[in-house]
């Protein structure tokens, strides 16, 4: 079977992993290591772990000879260390605790496992190393770095959405999106304005076609476009949580209401007014129109209900 390799790699990247640096000493006693996300636990009793190394890696002879390695699970803010140990040239070793004769380890990471190599298997273009954990330490106050779809991510505080009412969610949406729309009125470029106008038209188009479910989700997309037009990378990242919650609220709302009920007749006009005010860089009007939008928000129709989605 011939695989579309680029797509296959993307599919593998859809499995989120942590990021570790595997460290050891080379035959001359010099510390070295590489970034790795193929680490996995194999057995609890005895404690066995595995990771795999490209056969083309310069480090293969080193790990074969060393017969021991340390797995250092990186902290959420250690992506520089990850990038450093993913380089093929000689890596600066400033982040390592180096004690002569001992395994080098990464400072202040989430967990460290010192292992004795018990077996290795050549499979395809990788060698799988299996190690027995002889010592470990763990700092539970830190969150781990995550690798997902080819980029580094941090774990967001997990949210028990059942704790929020639609009213709470709506209040948060009103504040954050008003702020983002105000920023958009200062920063939106031509492409952002066109996207916003298209977004409003698409909502109207779906409504005309009677596609009320798609219309409801497209109405959320309008806020995503506002967030994009604000050009605030940090706020856009934070608002992702609100976007996810809002999607769940709409999905949950469909269990209590008909899709047709999830609209208010004035809102299409208000959306167009918001885009108009952003385009005119009229910040006070942007704010006024955003508040008008949220006064009529369909989410408020079931504000006293607790959100029950998982
Ligand atoms: C997030 C991430 C995960 C990686 N995981 C592995 C891995 O599991 N096995 C591997 O051989 N290389 C992995 N790499 C690539 C190595 O880190 C990189 O090829 C190596 O450090 C370069 O040295 P080398 O050319 O001597 O192998 C990974 C890189 C990144 C950024």
């Amino acid at each position: 079977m011939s695989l579309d390799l680029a797509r296959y790699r993307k599919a593998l990247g859809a499995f989120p992993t942590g990021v570790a640096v595997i460290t050891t000493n080379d035959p001359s006693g010099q510390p070295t290591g590489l970034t790795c996300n193929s680490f996995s636990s194999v057995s609890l009793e005895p404690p066995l772990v595995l990771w795999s190394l490209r056969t083309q890696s310069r480090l293969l002879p080193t790990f074969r000879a060393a017969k021991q390695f340390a797995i250092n699970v990186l902290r959420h803010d250690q992506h520089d260390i990850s990038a450093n140990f993913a380089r093929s040239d000689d890596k600066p070793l400033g982040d390592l605790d180096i004690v002569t004769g001992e395994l080098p380890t990464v400072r202040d990471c989430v967990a460290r496992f010192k292992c004795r190599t018990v077996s290795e298997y050549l499979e395809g273009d990788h060698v799988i190393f299996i190690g027995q954990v002889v010592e470990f330490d763990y700092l539970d106050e830190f969150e781990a770095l995550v690798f997902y779809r080819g980029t580094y991510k941090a774990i967001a505080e997990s949210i028990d959405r059942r704790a929020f009412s639609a009213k709470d969610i709506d209040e948060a949406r009103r504040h954050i999106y008003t702020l983002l729309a105000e920023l958009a009125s200062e920063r939106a470029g031509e492409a952002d304005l066109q996207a916003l106008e298209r977004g409003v038209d698409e909502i109207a188009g779906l409504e005309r076609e009677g596609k009320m479910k798609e219309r409801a989700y497209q109405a959320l997309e309008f806020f995503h476009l506002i967030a994009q037009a604000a050009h605030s990378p940090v706020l856009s990242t934070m608002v992702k949580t609100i976007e996810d919650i809002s999607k769940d609220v709409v999905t949950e709302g469909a269990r209590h209401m008909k899709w047709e009920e999830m609209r208010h007749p004035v809102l299409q006009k208000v959306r167009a007014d918001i885009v108009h005010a952003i385009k005119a860089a009229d910040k006070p009007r942007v704010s006024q129109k955003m508040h008008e939008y949220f006064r009529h928000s369909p989410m408020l129709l079931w504000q006293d209900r607790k959100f029950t989605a998982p």
Side-chain angles (χ1 to χ4, degrees):
M1 186 174 81
S2 85
L3 283 180
D4 173 347
L5 259 188
R7 208 165 155 69
Y8 178 62
R9 288 175 90 107
K10 278 194 171 172
L12 292 175
F15 187 61
T17 65
V19 182
V21 171
I22 319 277
T23 44
T24 197
N25 289 312
D26 72 12
S28 66
Q30 179 69 14
T32 187
L34 85 157
T35 302
C36 155
N37 66 344
S38 55
F39 162 63
S40 183
S41 164
V42 173
S43 156
L44 277 180
E45 289 176 307
L48 299 175
V49 295
L50 68 75
W51 64 284
S52 61
L53 178 64
R54 294 186 304 132
T55 48
Q56 295 297 314
S57 171
R58 293 174 313 149
L59 296 171
L60 182 59
T62 295
F63 279 102
R64 283 196 150 145
K67 301 282 179 225
Q68 58 171 355
F69 56 85
I71 290 164
N72 305 266
V73 178
L74 295 186
R75 217 172 54 194
H76 67 97
D77 56 353
Q78 289 180 319
H79 17 82
D80 289 352
I81 300 181
S82 173
N84 178 29
F85 282 94
R87 288 166 42 176
S88 284
D89 52 356
D90 285 332
K91 299 145 194 176
L93 300 172
D95 301 304
L96 296 183
D97 266 332
I98 299 166
V99 180
T100 315
E102 281 192 20
L103 272 172
T105 51
V106 176
R107 277 197 201 107
D108 300 328
C109 57
V110 180
R112 278 188 286 248
F113 304 91
K114 290 188 179 171
C115 306
R116 178 175 61 81
T117 307
V118 292
S119 47
E120 52 172 86
Y121 301 93
L122 172 65
E123 288 295 348
D125 57 8
H126 276 64
V127 173
I128 302 165
F129 285 93
I130 301 210
Q132 172 144 11
V133 178
V134 286
E135 201 183 316
F136 78 96
D137 52 49
Y138 168 53
L139 294 170
D140 62 359
E141 69 265 34
F142 294 130
E143 293 292 353
L145 181 62
V146 173
F147 196 67
Y148 175 54
R149 295 204 156 132
T151 53
Y152 298 110
K153 308 270 180 194
I155 296 172
E157 195 61 32
S158 83
I159 290 165
D160 180 358
R161 293 165 190 198
R162 278 163 293 194
F164 304 139
S165 66
K167 191 178 173 191
D168 291 336
I169 297 167
D170 215 61
E171 180 187 71
R173 276 163 49 89
R174 175 159 43 87
H175 286 294
I176 191 138
Y177 285 117
T178 301
L179 177 64
L180 286 164
E182 285 174 356
L183 286 174
S185 73
E186 292 168 2
R187 301 178 182 173
E190 199 45 49
D192 300 316
L193 294 169
Q194 282 174 10
L196 278 164
E197 279 170 344
R198 258 198 322 274
V200 173
D201 289 348
E202 275 169 35
I203 298 170
L206 289 166
E207 181 152 353
R208 270 196 307 275
E209 291 168 37
K211 295 183 174 164
M212 300 313 279
K213 177 177 174 182
E214 290 79 359
R215 194 217 65 88
Y217 289 109
Q218 189 61 38
L220 291 180
E221 179 65 18
F222 176 67
F223 289 98
H224 179 67
L225 295 173
I226 290 179
Q228 275 184 334
H231 292 273
S232 167
V234 175
L235 285 175
S236 296
T237 305
M238 291 168 70
V239 94
K240 183 90 188 48
T241 308
I242 303 254
E243 285 178 2
D244 289 347
I245 293 176
S246 304
K247 271 190 203 136
D248 287 354
V249 169
V250 167
T251 308
E252 168 76 357
R255 289 196 216 153
H256 307 287
M257 299 159 69
K258 295 199 175 82
W259 289 107
E260 298 77 74
E261 291 171 313
M262 282 200 225
R263 60 177 284 281
H264 191 291
V266 305
L267 289 184
Q268 185 62 4
K269 166 86 172 59
V270 179
R271 280 186 204 100
D273 290 347
I274 291 168
V275 176
H276 200 257
I278 291 176
K279 210 169 169 179
D282 187 343
K283 207 164 156 182
R285 190 161 166 79
V286 166
S287 167
Q288 181 204 335
K289 287 287 157 188
M290 289 299 286
H291 280 88
E292 188 176 336
Y293 184 100
F294 284 103
R295 266 202 308 281
H296 300 294
S297 167
M299 279 187 199
L300 294 176
L301 291 175
W302 51 297
Q303 59 175 288
D304 294 329
R305 249 184 256 265
K306 283 284 176 190
F307 184 39
T308 57

